[in-house]
Amino acid sequence: MAAALLALGVPRLLWCRASAGGGRFSSSGLPAGVRERASLGAVMQRAAEGPFASLRFDNLALRALPVEPGSGEGEEASRPRQVRGACFSRVRPSPLERPQVVALSAPALALLGLEAAVLQEEEAALYLSGCRLPPGAEPAAHCYCGHQFGSFAGQLGDGAAMYLGEVLGPQGDRWEIQLKGAGLTPYSRQADGRKVLRSSIREFLCSEAMFHLGIPTTRAGSCVTSDSTVVRDIFYDGNPKNEKCTVVLRIASTFIRFGSFEIFKPTDELTGRTGPSVDQDYIRVKMLDYVIGTFYPEIQESYPSDTVKRNAAFFREITQRTARLVAEWQCVGFCHGVLNTDNMSIVGLTIDYGPFGFLDRYDPDHICNGSDNMGRYAYSKQPEICKWNLGKLAEALVPELPLEMSETILEEEFDVTYESHYLQKMRKKLGLVRLELEDDKKLVSDFLQTMEGTGADFTNSFRLLSSFSGASDPEEQDIFLQKIVEQCASIEELKVVYKPKMDPRQLSMMLMLAQSNPQLFALIGTKANINKELERIERYSGLQQITSDDLSNENKALWKEWLQKYSSRLKREQNSVNDVESLNSERVKVMDSNNPKYILRNYIAQNAIDAAESGDFTEVRRVLALVENPFQDEEYLQGVQERRSPEEEVEDAAGACSSAERKPIYSSKPPLWASELCVT
C-alpha cells in the first residue's frame, strides 16, 4: 500500500502513520480500507484539476506559532498596525491586471512537484501572481523586527511578501513558498506592498545563480509581471515613473530570520523603539521549539530534556552556518548590500536580494548599495557584520539562552569557522589540492593585493589560473601574463573609478571643519570618507600622467612577481606526488568547478531588465540558462549563447542583424558603462 500511496503523491507523513498504526490511520476511526480509498480519491481529484491543485500543503508554521486573529479579508486585514502577541497575520494577495510569465525556473519548481515544461503559461501566471490561490494555501504575512544599518528599527515584517503555505515536495522535503510583491499587509507601513519588474528580475535571477554556484540560498520558482503599475522614484532624485507590478515565487525551508526573534526586544537605548511583543516571552519559547524541532531535528533529539543546552547547540550551529555562508560570498565576490538583522536567515541561507552585486574589478571596499553612504555593508566588512548580527540574535534569545553562553560560543566559533572555510575554498580556487601549508594564506592575500593593485577582474582572473601550469617555460609565462593583463583595468576604466566625487570647494570646507569643529564634522562626515576622497584625487591626477603602455608594463611586473610565488607553490604540489600529469588534470578540474565563468554581474541583469521592460523576456530566460551553468565553457553553452527569439530569426533572415550585433558573450570583462550603474 505504501508504494502505491507514495507513487500517487499521498504525503509520506500519512502513510507512515498508517504503517505504524497496524494499518489504521491514528487520526481517524474509519476502517483502513475506507480511509485509503478516500485518500486515493482526493489525490486523483487534485491531479485532474491541474498541477497547482495537486500541491500538497501542510502549513506547520501556522499551527505551531501564534497567528493574529482575523480572516485576512477586507481592508482592515492590511491596515498598518503594531501586531502584538503574534508571529503571523492572515492576508490576501491583491489581484494584478493581465499577469504574464517572464520566466520559470524548472529546477526550483521541481522542488514542489511542478514540471515547468508542462505548465500552461496563462494558468501559471494566475497562480504565481496571487490572482488565484491553490487549494490548501493560507496566505499570511510574517511579523519581525530588525537592526537596520546598525540601529533598531522596531517592527518591520513582510511588507510585500506573503507566506502561502508549506508544500510537501516529491522527495518528502517541506518547502515554504512566498509571493513577493503580492500586495498590502499590516507590515507595508506607508508603501504599497508591490515590487516592480527590475527588482523582481534581479531577485529571481540571483536566487537561482547563487544556488547553482553552490551557495546556500532561498530559491525563486517564477517571475510574473503584469499591466498593473505603481510609481517609483528609482534613485530618490525627484524623477518618479510608472513601473510594472511584478511578483516572484520564493521557495525555502523557512523564511524565519534573526529579526523574527527581535519582536520581544525591550526599549532600545538609542532609538527608543520596542518590539511589538515585548514581555511575551512564551512566544520566544514556541519559536525556539518550532525552529529547532523542525529545522535542526538532530539537535532536538540530542537534548530532549535540557533546553538551555539545546538552545546553545542551536546557536553554535547557526553561528557556524553563517560563518561558512559569508566565506562563500567572499570567495565568489558577492556583496549582499543590506545585511540588516532582518535579512539574515535562521537556517543559514542567503535571503532577500535587493541592491546586491558581484565584484567586477577587485575592490575590497566595494559598496554595491547606492544608499549605503557610510559603507557599512562594503564587501570587505561582510564577515564582521554577520558576526555583529549574530550578536544581536544572541541578545534576542535571552533568557532562553544566557548571554554569557552565546557570547562565548560566538567568540569561539565564528572567526575560526570563517577563516577555515575561506582558506579551504581559496585553496580549491588556486588549485592547491594536495598540500595544506601555512604560507597558503599569504599566497591568497598576495593574489588579492595584486588584483587590487592592477584593477583585475575578480571572476575572470581566478578562472584564468587553471590555464597556468606553473612551468618555468618563459614563453608560457609570457602568454599567460598577456591574458591576465587583459583582465586588468584600463586607464579609461580607472578614470571612471577614481573620478573625484566631491566638489573641490566642498572638500576644502570639510577639511577646515574637521580642524576647527570636530564635533560638527563628525555629524556630517567621517575622516575615512575624506581620506578616501583625497586618495581618489591623487590617483585620478596620476592617471593623467601615464600612457596605456606604462600601465600595462606596471601590471605585468606586479603579476610576474606573484606568478613566481605561485609557481613555487605549485612545484611543491608536484614534488609531493609520483604522477604529475594526473595531479595537473585533477587541479584543473577542481579549479574549473570552483571558479565560475559566469556570474550575475549588474550589467548582465540590466541588459535583461532593459529587454523585459520593452516586452522581450527572452534575455531574462537566456541569462537564467547561463547562471544555471556557471562553470561551463562556451562550447557547452553554445546553444544557449546563440538562442534566438522568433523575431530575431526573422530579422536575421532579412539581413537586419549582422554577426557583430549578436548578443554579448557574458564571460568577458564588463563594458565601461557597467561601472557607472547604481543600484539602491
Side-chain angles (χ1 to χ4, degrees):
M1 182 189 85
L5 289 171
L6 182 61
L8 285 166
V10 175
R12 182 183 293 268
L13 181 63
L14 293 182
W15 62 259
C16 282
R17 284 177 178 170
S19 300
R24 293 181 178 274
F25 290 94
S26 60
S27 58
S28 172
L30 292 173
V34 175
R35 181 61 182 267
E36 180 180 334
R37 288 194 296 274
S39 298
L40 292 173
V43 170
M44 293 174 68
Q45 180 179 352
R46 290 201 306 271
E49 292 172 351
F52 290 96
S54 299
L55 292 174
R56 300 179 293 149
F57 281 91
D58 180 40
N59 306 328
L60 178 60
L62 298 188
R63 299 197 302 272
L65 301 175
V67 180
E68 186 185 29
S71 65
E73 303 281 0
E75 292 184 5
E76 179 63 20
S78 59
R79 176 181 58 83
R81 59 186 179 274
Q82 290 288 298
V83 175
R84 178 173 171 78
C87 296
F88 289 94
S89 301
R90 297 189 186 276
V91 289
R92 287 291 182 274
S94 304
L96 292 172
E97 182 181 345
R98 208 171 77 83
Q100 311 144 61
V101 171
V102 175
L104 303 174
S105 168
L109 290 174
L111 298 173
L112 310 178
L114 295 172
E115 292 185 51
V118 301
L119 293 179
Q120 298 294 320
E121 281 210 0
E122 288 187 8
E123 179 188 35
L126 291 172
Y127 281 106
L128 298 173
S129 65
C131 291
R132 186 180 295 172
L133 291 176
E138 297 183 78
H142 179 42
C143 180
Y144 53 82
C145 295
H147 280 78
Q148 298 193 320
F149 290 89
S151 298
F152 185 64
Q155 178 180 290
L156 299 169
D158 287 335
M162 292 185 189
Y163 164 104
L164 283 190
E166 295 155 66
V167 173
L168 300 177
Q171 305 303 316
D173 297 319
R174 175 184 297 274
W175 298 104
E176 179 180 331
I177 60 174
Q178 281 191 348
L179 294 179
K180 186 169 183 178
L184 289 168
T185 79
Y187 312 106
S188 298
R189 290 166 284 175
Q190 304 306 310
D192 51 31
R194 294 299 191 188
K195 295 297 177 181
V196 297
L197 187 56
R198 57 185 164 82
S199 61
S200 299
I201 286 174
R202 284 172 54 83
E203 170 141 14
F204 172 75
L205 289 175
C206 199
S207 299
E208 293 306 283
M210 292 289 274
F211 171 77
H212 291 285
L213 285 169
I215 298 173
T217 178
T218 59
R219 304 292 301 277
S222 62
C223 180
V224 176
T225 192
S226 70
D227 286 351
S228 301
T229 60
V230 288
V231 176
R232 291 287 187 269
D233 186 348
I234 302 175
F235 300 112
Y236 309 106
D237 59 359
N239 294 295
K241 70 172 187 176
N242 285 319
E243 297 194 62
K244 289 190 172 184
C245 296
T246 307
V247 176
V248 172
L249 177 74
R250 304 203 300 181
I251 305 168
S253 56
T254 181
F255 285 89
I256 290 179
R257 62 242 6 244
F258 290 8
S260 303
F261 287 89
E262 293 188 290
I263 62 174
F264 315 105
K265 182 174 173 57
T267 303
D268 184 78
E269 292 180 0
L270 295 177
T271 65
R273 299 187 178 101
T274 62
S277 293
V278 64
D279 297 328
Q280 303 279 303
D281 289 348
Y282 75 95
I283 301 178
R284 185 193 290 107
V285 174
K286 283 191 171 187
M287 289 179 66
L288 282 166
D289 289 346
Y290 168 69
V291 167
I292 298 173
T294 307
F295 308 111
Y296 299 88
E298 67 287 349
I299 293 177
Q300 181 67 51
E301 292 169 6
S302 297
Y303 303 97
S305 57
D306 191 329
T307 56
V308 173
K309 286 185 177 179
R310 180 201 68 171
N311 296 343
F314 155 67
F315 186 74
R316 186 181 303 275
E317 178 64 21
I318 188 56
T319 294
Q320 293 172 346
R321 288 191 189 187
T322 303
R324 291 192 296 267
L325 177 68
V326 69
E328 291 281 347
W329 292 351
Q330 301 304 100
C331 288
V332 294
F334 174 76
C335 307
H336 185 282
V338 199
L339 277 178
N340 301 325
T341 57
D342 54 293
N343 293 334
M344 299 288 295
S345 164
I346 204 66
V347 291
L349 304 175
T350 314
I351 189 173
D352 289 342
Y353 293 93
F356 66 86
F358 286 85
L359 294 179
D360 291 328
R361 175 185 60 86
Y362 177 66
D363 174 12
D365 297 323
H366 176 69
I367 303 166
C368 64
N369 180 358
S371 305
D372 185 6
N373 298 321
M374 306 301 288
R376 177 180 174 84
Y377 299 141
Y379 166 77
S380 62
K381 294 181 179 179
Q382 290 185 135
E384 65 181 85
I385 289 296
C386 286
K387 185 178 181 180
W388 189 89
N389 287 341
L390 282 161
K392 293 303 171 185
L393 174 62
E395 293 175 10
L397 297 180
V398 176
E400 303 310 316
L401 178 61
L403 191 58
E404 58 270 19
M405 289 183 67
S406 55
E407 287 181 337
T408 299
I409 290 170
L410 185 56
E411 289 306 316
E412 288 177 348
E413 299 291 345
F414 186 88
D415 294 339
V416 171
T417 303
Y418 171 80
E419 293 292 344
S420 173
H421 194 81
Y422 177 81
L423 186 55
Q424 181 185 43
K425 184 75 173 180
M426 279 297 183
R427 283 193 177 107
K428 292 178 181 178
K429 291 172 76 69
L430 294 182
L432 310 178
V433 296
R434 292 298 173 91
L435 304 177
E436 295 185 0
L437 305 179
E438 289 186 11
D439 292 344
D440 291 346
K441 187 174 182 180
K442 179 70 163 56
L443 184 67
V444 171
S445 176
D446 289 346
F447 179 70
L448 296 177
Q449 287 178 9
T450 304
M451 277 203 293
E452 182 181 6
T454 61
D457 187 271
F458 183 88
T459 300
N460 292 353
S461 297
F462 270 112
R463 182 74 179 189
L464 265 177
L465 284 181
S466 65
S467 66
F468 181 70
S469 70
S472 56
D473 180 9
E475 185 177 351
E476 180 188 338
Q477 290 200 10
D478 286 344
I479 291 173
F480 183 81
L481 274 173
Q482 186 57 44
K483 288 181 180 178
I484 199 79
V485 167
E486 287 173 0
Q487 296 303 322
C488 298
S490 66
I491 287 181
E492 290 73 20
E493 291 174 86
L494 293 175
K495 284 180 178 178
V496 172
V497 170
Y498 292 111
K499 183 179 180 180
K501 296 183 178 180
M502 296 177 66
D503 181 275
R505 289 169 297 181
Q506 180 189 7
L507 178 60
S508 177
M509 182 189 72
M510 294 291 283
L511 289 170
M512 288 190 292
L513 187 62
Q515 294 292 325
S516 61
N517 194 336
Q519 291 81 10
L520 178 58
F521 172 74
L523 295 175
I524 60 176
T526 67
K527 187 176 181 180
N529 285 344
I530 294 299
N531 288 339
K532 186 170 287 188
E533 182 66 12
L534 292 172
E535 179 186 344
R536 192 179 289 118
I537 292 171
E538 183 179 356
R539 291 291 301 270
Y540 188 78
S541 176
L543 288 170
Q544 315 303 316
Q545 314 301 322
I546 64 172
T547 66
S548 295
D549 287 342
D550 294 334
L551 183 63
S552 178
N553 289 333
E554 289 178 12
N555 291 341
K556 278 185 180 179
L558 289 170
W559 277 111
K560 189 172 184 178
E561 181 182 350
W562 184 81
L563 285 173
Q564 289 173 348
K565 301 174 188 176
Y566 186 46
S567 295
S568 298
R569 178 62 179 84
L570 293 180
K571 183 64 68 176
R572 296 178 71 175
E573 289 272 305
Q574 294 165 358
N575 290 339
S576 71
V577 300
N578 295 322
D579 189 346
V580 174
E581 185 175 341
S582 176
L583 171 65
N584 288 338
S585 177
E586 179 188 358
R587 170 179 167 268
V588 170
K589 185 176 180 180
V590 168
M591 294 178 76
D592 285 350
S593 61
N594 282 275
N595 293 317
K597 193 172 186 72
Y598 299 98
I599 54 168
L600 187 65
R601 301 177 189 264
N602 272 342
Y603 89 96
I604 297 176
Q606 192 60 48
N607 280 345
I609 291 166
D610 290 344
E613 288 184 333
S614 67
D616 178 10
F617 303 146
T618 57
E619 188 67 5
V620 176
R621 298 172 187 184
R622 173 177 176 258
V623 172
L624 175 63
L626 289 177
V627 299
E628 286 178 338
N629 299 277
F631 302 103
Q632 299 294 345
D633 282 319
E634 279 90 353
E635 294 80 5
Y636 179 87
L637 293 170
Q638 183 114 26
V640 174
Q641 291 282 2
E642 296 299 328
R643 190 174 295 163
R644 315 290 283 159
S645 69
E647 294 80 5
E648 289 171 324
E649 296 290 357
V650 171
E651 289 178 357
D652 282 352
C657 287
S658 69
S659 60
E661 295 171 319
R662 294 272 179 171
K663 293 183 181 295
I665 301 296
Y666 283 141
S667 60
S668 58
K669 267 182 65 182
L672 188 59
W673 59 266
S675 63
E676 300 190 69
L677 285 173
C678 178
V679 184
T680 61

